[in-house]
Tab-separated table of all heavy atoms in Angstrom:
chain	number	residue	atom	x	y	z
H	176	MET	N	13.284	-19.383	-5.652
H	176	MET	CA	12.608	-18.213	-5.013
H	176	MET	C	13.388	-17.628	-3.948
H	176	MET	O	13.486	-18.214	-2.857
H	176	MET	CB	11.185	-18.654	-4.438
H	176	MET	CG	10.087	-18.406	-5.446
H	176	MET	SD	8.487	-19.066	-4.892
H	176	MET	CE	8.116	-18.081	-3.433
H	177	GLY	N	14.077	-16.496	-4.174
H	177	GLY	CA	14.829	-15.832	-3.098
H	177	GLY	C	14.017	-14.795	-2.542
H	177	GLY	O	12.942	-14.375	-2.911
H	178	HIS	N	14.583	-14.315	-1.406
H	178	HIS	CA	14.020	-13.140	-0.733
H	178	HIS	C	14.413	-11.868	-1.443
H	178	HIS	O	15.646	-11.448	-1.433
H	178	HIS	CB	14.350	-13.110	0.675
H	178	HIS	CG	13.672	-14.175	1.529
H	178	HIS	ND1	12.469	-13.924	2.062
H	178	HIS	CD2	13.992	-15.371	1.821
H	178	HIS	CE1	12.058	-15.100	2.640
H	178	HIS	NE2	12.979	-15.956	2.565
H	179	ARG	N	13.478	-11.256	-2.161
H	179	ARG	CA	13.815	-10.054	-2.879
H	179	ARG	C	13.651	-8.791	-1.953
H	179	ARG	O	13.870	-7.716	-2.450
H	179	ARG	CB	12.971	-9.822	-4.093
H	179	ARG	CG	13.236	-10.947	-5.099
H	179	ARG	CD	12.430	-10.796	-6.393
H	179	ARG	NE	12.845	-9.608	-7.050
H	179	ARG	CZ	12.095	-9.012	-7.953
H	179	ARG	NH1	10.878	-9.499	-8.320
H	179	ARG	NH2	12.420	-7.869	-8.637
H	180	GLY	N	13.308	-9.090	-0.789
H	180	GLY	CA	13.175	-7.984	0.158
H	180	GLY	C	11.907	-7.257	0.009
H	180	GLY	O	11.051	-7.599	-0.898
H	181	TRP	N	11.630	-6.399	0.813
H	181	TRP	CA	10.312	-5.719	0.855
H	181	TRP	C	10.543	-4.193	0.833
H	181	TRP	O	9.815	-3.458	1.367
H	181	TRP	CB	9.685	-6.170	2.155
H	181	TRP	CG	8.179	-6.331	2.166
H	181	TRP	CD1	7.491	-6.857	3.242
H	181	TRP	CD2	7.167	-5.975	1.257
H	181	TRP	NE1	6.184	-6.851	2.973
H	181	TRP	CE2	5.949	-6.261	1.783
H	181	TRP	CE3	7.272	-5.323	-0.006
H	181	TRP	CZ2	4.710	-6.117	1.075
H	181	TRP	CZ3	6.050	-5.083	-0.715
H	181	TRP	CH2	4.760	-5.547	-0.148
H	182	ILE	N	11.615	-3.856	0.151
H	182	ILE	CA	12.097	-2.444	0.082
H	182	ILE	C	11.251	-1.734	-1.113
H	182	ILE	O	10.732	-0.620	-0.865
H	182	ILE	CB	13.523	-2.296	-0.164
H	182	ILE	CG1	14.304	-3.169	0.805
H	182	ILE	CG2	13.909	-0.843	-0.123
H	182	ILE	CD1	14.612	-2.506	2.130
H	183	THR	N	11.176	-2.397	-2.234
H	183	THR	CA	10.428	-1.750	-3.237
H	183	THR	C	9.133	-2.522	-3.579
H	183	THR	O	9.167	-3.766	-3.457
H	183	THR	CB	11.288	-1.691	-4.585
H	183	THR	OG1	11.781	-3.000	-4.926
H	183	THR	CG2	12.496	-0.765	-4.417
H	184	ALA	N	8.209	-1.772	-3.946
H	184	ALA	CA	6.887	-2.388	-4.349
H	184	ALA	C	6.249	-1.500	-5.272
H	184	ALA	O	6.734	-0.436	-5.686
H	184	ALA	CB	6.042	-2.483	-3.005
H	185	ARG	N	5.081	-1.907	-5.747
H	185	ARG	CA	4.348	-1.036	-6.706
H	185	ARG	C	2.952	-0.620	-6.204
H	185	ARG	O	2.325	-1.419	-5.462
H	185	ARG	CB	4.171	-1.774	-8.038
H	185	ARG	CG	5.458	-1.711	-8.892
H	185	ARG	CD	5.245	-2.369	-10.242
H	185	ARG	NE	6.512	-2.423	-10.943
H	185	ARG	CZ	6.989	-1.388	-11.710
H	185	ARG	NH1	6.330	-0.270	-11.767
H	185	ARG	NH2	8.125	-1.443	-12.299
H	186	CYS	N	2.568	0.534	-6.432
H	186	CYS	CA	1.275	0.952	-5.993
H	186	CYS	C	0.160	0.202	-6.744
H	186	CYS	O	0.331	-0.122	-7.946
H	186	CYS	CB	1.117	2.517	-6.377
H	186	CYS	SG	-0.553	3.093	-6.106
H	187	TYR	N	-0.715	-0.289	-5.978
H	187	TYR	CA	-1.781	-1.151	-6.613
H	187	TYR	C	-2.611	-0.365	-7.560
H	187	TYR	O	-3.134	-1.000	-8.559
H	187	TYR	CB	-2.736	-1.658	-5.443
H	187	TYR	CG	-3.836	-2.505	-5.882
H	187	TYR	CD1	-3.550	-3.854	-6.273
H	187	TYR	CD2	-5.096	-2.063	-6.004
H	187	TYR	CE1	-4.588	-4.706	-6.659
H	187	TYR	CE2	-6.129	-2.833	-6.328
H	187	TYR	CZ	-5.901	-4.106	-6.718
H	187	TYR	OH	-6.881	-4.914	-7.207
H	188	ILE	N	-2.760	0.851	-7.449
H	188	ILE	CA	-3.601	1.651	-8.279
H	188	ILE	C	-2.924	2.101	-9.569
H	188	ILE	O	-3.389	1.926	-10.668
H	188	ILE	CB	-4.132	2.928	-7.577
H	188	ILE	CG1	-4.811	2.560	-6.225
H	188	ILE	CG2	-5.157	3.663	-8.404
H	188	ILE	CD1	-6.188	2.053	-6.345
H	189	CYS	N	-1.769	2.752	-9.415
H	189	CYS	CA	-1.115	3.405	-10.605
H	189	CYS	C	0.219	2.667	-11.012
H	189	CYS	O	0.899	3.130	-11.935
H	189	CYS	CB	-0.851	4.793	-10.332
H	189	CYS	SG	0.378	5.185	-8.974
H	190	SER	N	0.590	1.628	-10.204
H	190	SER	CA	1.795	0.856	-10.537
H	190	SER	C	3.116	1.638	-10.344
H	190	SER	O	4.175	1.169	-10.806
H	190	SER	CB	1.810	0.259	-11.939
H	190	SER	OG	0.630	-0.606	-12.115
H	191	LYS	N	2.973	2.770	-9.722
H	191	LYS	CA	4.196	3.548	-9.443
H	191	LYS	C	5.123	2.769	-8.547
H	191	LYS	O	4.634	2.048	-7.641
H	191	LYS	CB	3.847	4.863	-8.852
H	191	LYS	CG	5.012	5.890	-8.658
H	191	LYS	CD	4.482	7.121	-7.991
H	191	LYS	CE	5.137	7.363	-6.636
H	191	LYS	NZ	4.750	8.645	-6.089
H	192	LYS	N	6.437	2.863	-8.861
H	192	LYS	CA	7.408	2.184	-7.980
H	192	LYS	C	7.451	2.876	-6.648
H	192	LYS	O	7.665	4.093	-6.649
H	192	LYS	CB	8.754	2.171	-8.693
H	192	LYS	CG	9.133	0.799	-9.168
H	192	LYS	CD	10.594	0.698	-9.489
H	192	LYS	CE	10.917	-0.680	-10.147
H	192	LYS	NZ	12.295	-0.607	-10.679
H	193	LEU	N	7.388	2.091	-5.626
H	193	LEU	CA	7.397	2.711	-4.281
H	193	LEU	C	8.619	2.107	-3.496
H	193	LEU	O	8.886	0.969	-3.622
H	193	LEU	CB	6.145	2.354	-3.525
H	193	LEU	CG	4.808	2.711	-4.159
H	193	LEU	CD1	3.744	2.130	-3.366
H	193	LEU	CD2	4.666	4.253	-4.125
H	194	ASN	N	9.284	3.080	-2.836
H	194	ASN	CA	10.326	2.644	-1.941
H	194	ASN	C	9.734	2.699	-0.481
H	194	ASN	O	9.552	3.814	0.023
H	194	ASN	CB	11.562	3.511	-2.101
H	194	ASN	CG	12.730	3.081	-1.273
H	194	ASN	OD1	12.633	2.800	-0.056
H	194	ASN	ND2	13.887	3.092	-1.799
H	195	VAL	N	9.507	1.563	0.150
H	195	VAL	CA	8.807	1.591	1.403
H	195	VAL	C	9.615	2.181	2.561
H	195	VAL	O	9.111	2.502	3.531
H	195	VAL	CB	8.371	0.189	1.824
H	195	VAL	CG1	7.422	-0.377	0.857
H	195	VAL	CG2	9.477	-0.737	2.046
H	196	VAL	N	10.973	2.464	2.263
H	196	VAL	CA	11.769	3.100	3.268
H	196	VAL	C	11.733	4.579	3.081
H	196	VAL	O	11.613	5.356	4.102
H	196	VAL	CB	13.198	2.620	3.122
H	196	VAL	CG1	14.077	3.253	4.233
H	196	VAL	CG2	13.216	1.092	3.323
H	197	LYS	N	11.793	5.113	1.829
H	197	LYS	CA	11.894	6.474	1.570
H	197	LYS	C	10.536	7.164	1.248
H	197	LYS	O	10.361	8.342	1.650
H	197	LYS	CB	12.800	6.734	0.362
H	197	LYS	CG	14.279	6.512	0.648
H	197	LYS	CD	15.112	6.876	-0.608
H	197	LYS	CE	16.393	6.214	-0.555
H	197	LYS	NZ	16.959	6.159	-1.994
H	198	ASP	N	9.719	6.435	0.551
H	198	ASP	CA	8.442	7.052	0.134
H	198	ASP	C	7.348	6.945	1.211
H	198	ASP	O	7.379	6.088	2.058
H	198	ASP	CB	7.904	6.441	-1.177
H	198	ASP	CG	8.887	6.720	-2.279
H	198	ASP	OD1	9.578	7.696	-2.310
H	198	ASP	OD2	8.984	5.784	-3.195
H	199	THR	N	6.369	7.771	1.123
H	199	THR	CA	5.181	7.656	1.887
H	199	THR	C	4.285	6.590	1.232
H	199	THR	O	3.753	6.769	0.170
H	199	THR	CB	4.467	9.015	1.927
H	199	THR	OG1	5.345	9.984	2.358
H	199	THR	CG2	3.252	8.963	2.963
H	200	VAL	N	4.128	5.452	1.951
H	200	VAL	CA	3.422	4.361	1.390
H	200	VAL	C	2.346	3.985	2.390
H	200	VAL	O	2.548	3.911	3.593
H	200	VAL	CB	4.334	3.124	1.187
H	200	VAL	CG1	3.556	1.901	0.656
H	200	VAL	CG2	5.459	3.535	0.231
H	201	TYR	N	1.150	3.696	1.833
H	201	TYR	CA	0.002	3.303	2.726
H	201	TYR	C	-0.453	1.923	2.481
H	201	TYR	O	-0.208	1.343	1.415
H	201	TYR	CB	-1.179	4.242	2.419
H	201	TYR	CG	-0.928	5.561	3.011
H	201	TYR	CD1	-0.333	6.577	2.243
H	201	TYR	CD2	-1.449	5.958	4.293
H	201	TYR	CE1	-0.167	7.855	2.756
H	201	TYR	CE2	-1.232	7.273	4.850
H	201	TYR	CZ	-0.562	8.163	3.968
H	201	TYR	OH	-0.321	9.382	4.552
H	202	TYR	N	-1.008	1.270	3.452
H	202	TYR	CA	-1.567	-0.124	3.282
H	202	TYR	C	-2.754	-0.247	4.226
H	202	TYR	O	-3.015	0.538	5.094
H	202	TYR	CB	-0.428	-1.106	3.814
H	202	TYR	CG	-0.253	-1.211	5.303
H	202	TYR	CD1	-0.799	-2.235	6.010
H	202	TYR	CD2	0.413	-0.190	5.948
H	202	TYR	CE1	-0.666	-2.297	7.450
H	202	TYR	CE2	0.611	-0.260	7.342
H	202	TYR	CZ	0.060	-1.314	8.045
H	202	TYR	OH	0.123	-1.438	9.486
H	203	CYS	N	-3.472	-1.290	3.934
H	203	CYS	CA	-4.661	-1.613	4.637
H	203	CYS	C	-4.375	-2.748	5.623
H	203	CYS	O	-4.037	-3.882	5.107
H	203	CYS	CB	-5.817	-2.025	3.790
H	203	CYS	SG	-7.271	-2.736	4.638
H	204	PRO	N	-4.421	-2.487	6.971
H	204	PRO	CA	-4.083	-3.564	7.870
H	204	PRO	C	-5.026	-4.812	7.736
H	204	PRO	O	-4.530	-5.937	7.958
H	204	PRO	CB	-4.334	-3.018	9.209
H	204	PRO	CG	-4.352	-1.511	9.048
H	204	PRO	CD	-4.896	-1.355	7.574
H	205	LYS	N	-6.200	-4.640	7.334
H	205	LYS	CA	-7.140	-5.733	7.186
H	205	LYS	C	-6.668	-6.623	6.004
H	205	LYS	O	-6.675	-7.891	6.120
H	205	LYS	CB	-8.558	-5.223	6.931
H	205	LYS	CG	-9.692	-6.001	7.652
H	205	LYS	CD	-10.996	-5.324	7.512
H	205	LYS	CE	-12.056	-5.919	8.339
H	205	LYS	NZ	-13.249	-5.192	8.208
H	206	CYS	N	-6.383	-5.953	4.929
H	206	CYS	CA	-5.985	-6.785	3.708
H	206	CYS	C	-4.596	-7.429	4.040
H	206	CYS	O	-4.412	-8.625	3.615
H	206	CYS	CB	-5.789	-5.836	2.533
H	206	CYS	SG	-7.428	-5.344	1.826
H	207	PHE	N	-3.723	-6.871	4.788
H	207	PHE	CA	-2.476	-7.395	5.059
H	207	PHE	C	-2.637	-8.609	5.953
H	207	PHE	O	-1.921	-9.648	5.733
H	207	PHE	CB	-1.487	-6.369	5.725
H	207	PHE	CG	-0.474	-5.817	4.794
H	207	PHE	CD1	-0.879	-5.199	3.672
H	207	PHE	CD2	0.856	-5.955	5.084
H	207	PHE	CE1	0.060	-4.590	2.770
H	207	PHE	CE2	1.770	-5.359	4.257
H	207	PHE	CZ	1.437	-4.681	3.060
H	208	SER	N	-3.574	-8.546	6.878
H	208	SER	CA	-3.771	-9.640	7.752
H	208	SER	C	-4.329	-10.836	7.018
H	208	SER	O	-4.252	-11.999	7.493
H	208	SER	CB	-4.716	-9.281	8.919
H	208	SER	OG	-6.022	-9.087	8.442
H	209	LYS	N	-4.930	-10.551	5.895
H	209	LYS	CA	-5.389	-11.714	5.077
H	209	LYS	C	-4.434	-12.138	4.056
H	209	LYS	O	-4.678	-13.006	3.175
H	209	LYS	CB	-6.699	-11.262	4.213
H	209	LYS	CG	-7.862	-11.038	5.079
H	209	LYS	CD	-9.086	-10.676	4.152
H	209	LYS	CE	-10.052	-9.896	4.977
H	209	LYS	NZ	-10.861	-9.056	4.028
H	210	GLY	N	-3.207	-11.537	4.108
H	210	GLY	CA	-2.108	-11.926	3.195
H	210	GLY	C	-2.053	-11.180	1.917
H	210	GLY	O	-1.296	-11.594	1.001
H	211	HIS	N	-2.879	-10.208	1.733
H	211	HIS	CA	-2.862	-9.344	0.511
H	211	HIS	C	-1.969	-8.290	0.707
H	211	HIS	O	-2.169	-7.330	1.516
H	211	HIS	CB	-4.218	-8.784	0.175
H	211	HIS	CG	-5.256	-9.868	-0.034
H	211	HIS	ND1	-5.122	-10.875	-0.951
H	211	HIS	CD2	-6.384	-10.140	0.732
H	211	HIS	CE1	-6.158	-11.709	-0.933
H	211	HIS	NE2	-6.959	-11.241	0.051
H	212	ARG	N	-0.780	-8.258	0.049
H	212	ARG	CA	0.233	-7.257	0.262
H	212	ARG	C	0.023	-6.125	-0.821
H	212	ARG	O	0.717	-5.930	-1.756
H	212	ARG	CB	1.619	-7.881	0.077
H	212	ARG	CG	1.761	-8.895	1.152
H	212	ARG	CD	3.177	-9.132	1.481
H	212	ARG	NE	3.863	-10.021	0.579
H	212	ARG	CZ	5.173	-10.445	0.747
H	212	ARG	NH1	5.947	-9.973	1.621
H	212	ARG	NH2	5.674	-11.296	-0.128
H	213	ILE	N	-0.991	-5.336	-0.548
H	213	ILE	CA	-1.485	-4.304	-1.458
H	213	ILE	C	-1.010	-2.952	-0.782
H	213	ILE	O	-1.327	-2.705	0.332
H	213	ILE	CB	-2.901	-4.322	-1.569
H	213	ILE	CG1	-3.372	-5.663	-2.152
H	213	ILE	CG2	-3.422	-3.137	-2.467
H	213	ILE	CD1	-4.962	-5.787	-2.281
H	214	LEU	N	-0.303	-2.243	-1.557
H	214	LEU	CA	0.237	-0.973	-1.130
H	214	LEU	C	-0.277	0.181	-2.025
H	214	LEU	O	-0.572	-0.055	-3.168
H	214	LEU	CB	1.712	-0.943	-1.195
H	214	LEU	CG	2.422	-1.912	-0.263
H	214	LEU	CD1	3.933	-1.947	-0.462
H	214	LEU	CD2	2.098	-1.519	1.188
H	215	TYR	N	-0.369	1.330	-1.481
H	215	TYR	CA	-0.825	2.513	-2.192
H	215	TYR	C	0.126	3.710	-2.038
H	215	TYR	O	0.599	3.850	-0.952
H	215	TYR	CB	-2.209	2.972	-1.663
H	215	TYR	CG	-3.229	1.905	-1.640
H	215	TYR	CD1	-3.488	1.047	-0.480
H	215	TYR	CD2	-4.017	1.663	-2.772
H	215	TYR	CE1	-4.430	0.115	-0.502
H	215	TYR	CE2	-5.005	0.585	-2.768
H	215	TYR	CZ	-5.220	-0.153	-1.544
H	215	TYR	OH	-6.109	-1.190	-1.605
H	216	CYS	N	0.359	4.425	-3.085
H	216	CYS	CA	1.189	5.575	-3.018
H	216	CYS	C	0.394	6.733	-2.305
H	216	CYS	O	-0.823	6.665	-2.157
H	216	CYS	CB	1.596	6.054	-4.421
H	216	CYS	SG	0.279	6.675	-5.443
H	217	ASP	N	1.113	7.752	-1.994
H	217	ASP	CA	0.626	8.828	-1.275
H	217	ASP	C	-0.600	9.522	-1.965
H	217	ASP	O	-1.730	9.631	-1.403
H	217	ASP	CB	1.722	9.879	-1.097
H	217	ASP	CG	1.290	10.963	-0.018
H	217	ASP	OD1	0.359	10.696	0.753
H	217	ASP	OD2	2.003	11.992	-0.091
H	218	ALA	N	-0.438	9.754	-3.267
H	218	ALA	CA	-1.448	10.329	-4.121
H	218	ALA	C	-2.744	9.575	-4.170
H	218	ALA	O	-3.816	10.084	-4.086
H	218	ALA	CB	-0.954	10.641	-5.457
H	219	ASP	N	-2.620	8.289	-4.329
H	219	ASP	CA	-3.769	7.435	-4.452
H	219	ASP	C	-4.401	7.184	-3.062
H	219	ASP	O	-5.661	7.095	-3.006
H	219	ASP	CB	-3.397	6.046	-5.038
H	219	ASP	CG	-3.079	6.169	-6.555
H	219	ASP	OD1	-3.996	6.826	-7.201
H	219	ASP	OD2	-2.131	5.669	-7.042
H	220	ALA	N	-3.671	7.143	-2.018
H	220	ALA	CA	-4.270	7.001	-0.658
H	220	ALA	C	-5.127	8.232	-0.486
H	220	ALA	O	-6.208	8.097	0.066
H	220	ALA	CB	-3.128	6.861	0.311
H	221	LYS	N	-4.628	9.353	-0.816
H	221	LYS	CA	-5.370	10.633	-0.646
H	221	LYS	C	-6.671	10.610	-1.507
H	221	LYS	O	-7.666	10.962	-1.066
H	221	LYS	CB	-4.507	11.763	-1.120
H	221	LYS	CG	-4.750	13.117	-0.446
H	221	LYS	CD	-3.728	14.117	-0.787
H	221	LYS	CE	-2.423	14.072	-0.030
H	221	LYS	NZ	-1.382	14.969	-0.515
H	222	ARG	N	-6.527	10.122	-2.738
H	222	ARG	CA	-7.702	9.940	-3.594
H	222	ARG	C	-8.698	9.078	-3.065
H	222	ARG	O	-9.955	9.147	-3.357
H	222	ARG	CB	-7.228	9.480	-4.967
H	222	ARG	CG	-7.876	10.241	-6.219
H	222	ARG	CD	-7.206	9.868	-7.489
H	222	ARG	NE	-5.852	10.443	-7.546
H	222	ARG	CZ	-4.860	9.991	-8.317
H	222	ARG	NH1	-4.964	8.802	-8.936
H	222	ARG	NH2	-3.740	10.559	-8.338
H	223	LEU	N	-8.294	8.047	-2.359
H	223	LEU	CA	-9.143	6.998	-1.764
H	223	LEU	C	-9.726	7.488	-0.401
H	223	LEU	O	-10.363	6.800	0.239
H	223	LEU	CB	-8.486	5.676	-1.601
H	223	LEU	CG	-8.109	4.931	-2.869
H	223	LEU	CD1	-7.075	3.947	-2.611
H	223	LEU	CD2	-9.302	4.356	-3.463
H	224	HIS	N	-9.327	8.778	-0.036
H	224	HIS	CA	-9.721	9.347	1.252
H	224	HIS	C	-9.214	8.404	2.400
H	224	HIS	O	-9.880	8.258	3.359
H	224	HIS	CB	-11.202	9.563	1.329
H	224	HIS	CG	-11.670	10.444	0.258
H	224	HIS	ND1	-11.456	11.761	0.220
H	224	HIS	CD2	-12.412	10.136	-0.867
H	224	HIS	CE1	-11.997	12.313	-0.837
H	224	HIS	NE2	-12.554	11.335	-1.588
H	225	TYR	N	-7.983	7.783	2.146
H	225	TYR	CA	-7.407	6.946	3.155
H	225	TYR	C	-8.284	5.788	3.587
H	225	TYR	O	-8.230	5.382	4.727
H	225	TYR	CB	-6.854	7.784	4.315
H	225	TYR	CG	-5.911	8.855	3.776
H	225	TYR	CD1	-6.363	10.167	3.692
H	225	TYR	CD2	-4.558	8.612	3.542
H	225	TYR	CE1	-5.560	11.197	3.278
H	225	TYR	CE2	-3.770	9.572	3.085
H	225	TYR	CZ	-4.195	10.859	2.920
H	225	TYR	OH	-3.447	11.805	2.460
H	226	ARG	N	-9.086	5.336	2.667
H	226	ARG	CA	-9.869	4.163	2.935
H	226	ARG	C	-9.571	3.063	1.889
H	226	ARG	O	-9.364	3.302	0.759
H	226	ARG	CB	-11.369	4.515	2.794
H	226	ARG	CG	-11.853	5.551	3.744
H	226	ARG	CD	-12.741	4.933	4.803
H	226	ARG	NE	-12.806	5.851	5.915
H	226	ARG	CZ	-12.843	5.467	7.117
H	226	ARG	NH1	-12.726	4.215	7.532
H	226	ARG	NH2	-12.976	6.278	8.127
H	227	CYS	N	-9.538	1.802	2.404
H	227	CYS	CA	-9.286	0.606	1.541
H	227	CYS	C	-10.525	0.480	0.585
H	227	CYS	O	-11.657	0.527	1.105
H	227	CYS	CB	-9.133	-0.552	2.355
H	227	CYS	SG	-9.074	-2.117	1.403
H	228	PRO	N	-10.243	0.419	-0.667
H	228	PRO	CA	-11.351	0.187	-1.693
H	228	PRO	C	-12.061	-1.129	-1.549
H	228	PRO	O	-13.109	-1.295	-2.175
H	228	PRO	CB	-10.690	0.368	-3.068
H	228	PRO	CG	-9.283	0.088	-2.862
H	228	PRO	CD	-9.002	0.463	-1.409
H	229	PHE	N	-11.448	-2.051	-0.867
H	229	PHE	CA	-11.983	-3.458	-0.676
H	229	PHE	C	-12.900	-3.599	0.440
H	229	PHE	O	-13.917	-4.227	0.439
H	229	PHE	CB	-10.914	-4.507	-0.677
H	229	PHE	CG	-9.994	-4.474	-1.846
H	229	PHE	CD1	-8.762	-3.869	-1.778
H	229	PHE	CD2	-10.445	-4.909	-3.168
H	229	PHE	CE1	-7.938	-3.749	-2.861
H	229	PHE	CE2	-9.631	-4.842	-4.293
H	229	PHE	CZ	-8.317	-4.328	-4.124
H	230	ASP	N	-12.472	-3.053	1.613
H	230	ASP	CA	-13.210	-3.254	2.816
H	230	ASP	C	-13.580	-1.997	3.614
H	230	ASP	O	-14.053	-2.028	4.702
H	230	ASP	CB	-12.539	-4.233	3.726
H	230	ASP	CG	-11.040	-3.936	3.892
H	230	ASP	OD1	-10.765	-2.762	4.247
H	230	ASP	OD2	-10.175	-4.783	3.669
H	231	GLY	N	-13.077	-0.923	3.136
H	231	GLY	CA	-13.420	0.344	3.749
H	231	GLY	C	-12.634	0.739	5.066
H	231	GLY	O	-12.835	1.688	5.691
H	232	SER	N	-11.545	-0.120	5.374
H	232	SER	CA	-10.823	0.162	6.442
H	232	SER	C	-9.898	1.342	6.244
H	232	SER	O	-9.581	1.697	5.090
H	232	SER	CB	-9.889	-1.069	6.748
H	232	SER	OG	-10.672	-2.150	7.196
H	233	GLU	N	-9.460	1.911	7.391
H	233	GLU	CA	-8.532	3.073	7.286
H	233	GLU	C	-7.141	2.615	6.871
H	233	GLU	O	-6.638	1.654	7.508
H	233	GLU	CB	-8.499	3.757	8.628
H	233	GLU	CG	-8.147	5.221	8.501
H	233	GLU	CD	-8.077	5.934	9.912
H	233	GLU	OE1	-8.953	5.694	10.676
H	233	GLU	OE2	-7.177	6.731	10.096
H	234	LEU	N	-6.630	3.327	5.858
H	234	LEU	CA	-5.243	3.019	5.483
H	234	LEU	C	-4.245	3.519	6.477
H	234	LEU	O	-4.418	4.573	7.027
H	234	LEU	CB	-4.971	3.602	4.148
H	234	LEU	CG	-5.865	3.126	2.964
H	234	LEU	CD1	-5.361	3.857	1.612
H	234	LEU	CD2	-5.742	1.621	2.722
H	235	LYS	N	-3.169	2.743	6.713
H	235	LYS	CA	-2.161	3.105	7.685
H	235	LYS	C	-0.817	3.397	6.857
H	235	LYS	O	-0.640	2.815	5.873
H	235	LYS	CB	-1.896	1.953	8.647
H	235	LYS	CG	-3.174	1.595	9.484
H	235	LYS	CD	-3.347	2.593	10.587
H	235	LYS	CE	-4.575	2.190	11.431
H	235	LYS	NZ	-5.205	3.384	12.067
H	236	LEU	N	-0.008	4.203	7.515
H	236	LEU	CA	1.305	4.372	6.950
H	236	LEU	C	2.080	3.153	7.082
H	236	LEU	O	2.171	2.588	8.138
H	236	LEU	CB	2.056	5.534	7.718
H	236	LEU	CG	1.909	6.921	7.173
H	236	LEU	CD1	2.553	7.938	8.037
H	236	LEU	CD2	2.522	7.025	5.746
H	237	TYR	N	2.791	2.741	6.030
H	237	TYR	CA	3.583	1.493	6.057
H	237	TYR	C	4.843	1.782	6.834
H	237	TYR	O	5.535	2.706	6.550
H	237	TYR	CB	3.916	0.990	4.602
H	237	TYR	CG	4.527	-0.297	4.657
H	237	TYR	CD1	3.740	-1.384	4.794
H	237	TYR	CD2	5.921	-0.440	4.489
H	237	TYR	CE1	4.296	-2.635	4.815
H	237	TYR	CE2	6.487	-1.667	4.536
H	237	TYR	CZ	5.673	-2.828	4.675
H	237	TYR	OH	6.232	-4.043	4.702
R	122	LIG	ZN1	-0.502	5.154	-6.971
R	123	LIG	ZN1	-8.453	-3.624	2.934
């Protein structure tokens, strides 16, 4: 198990490839604090009204 870095990820909703450096990527601080590394692309974050579908927390820019 190597460190593959945290540069690219996939959107949890649409599986779009995200570049966390270049793209606008959103995450839920609450889910992250629980160890769930769930990311959302810009379009899906907008569709979710910037709310986490699991706990209703406000999504933050990654
Ligand atoms: Zn997406
Ligand atoms: Zn959440």
Side-chain angles (χ1 to χ4, degrees):
M176 265 171 67
H178 286 275
R179 295 184 64 198
W181 214 170
I182 308 273
T183 56
R185 280 184 185 276
C186 170
Y187 180 75
I188 309 279
C189 66
S190 299
K191 186 178 117 172
K192 253 195 183 169
L193 304 169
N194 183 315
V195 298
V196 179
K197 288 187 201 155
D198 297 331
T199 308
V200 180
Y201 288 87
Y202 75 102
C203 167
K205 218 173 191 177
C206 289
F207 258 58
S208 72
K209 288 184 205 153
H211 303 297
R212 301 205 272 183
I213 299 171
L214 296 171
Y215 305 95
C216 69
D217 195 19
D219 285 317
K221 210 173 277 172
R222 220 169 291 152
L223 293 164
H224 304 285
Y225 304 98
R226 297 254 165 219
C227 172
F229 303 103
D230 49 53
S232 292
E233 203 181 318
L234 300 180
K235 301 277 180 207
L236 266 174
Y237 188 80

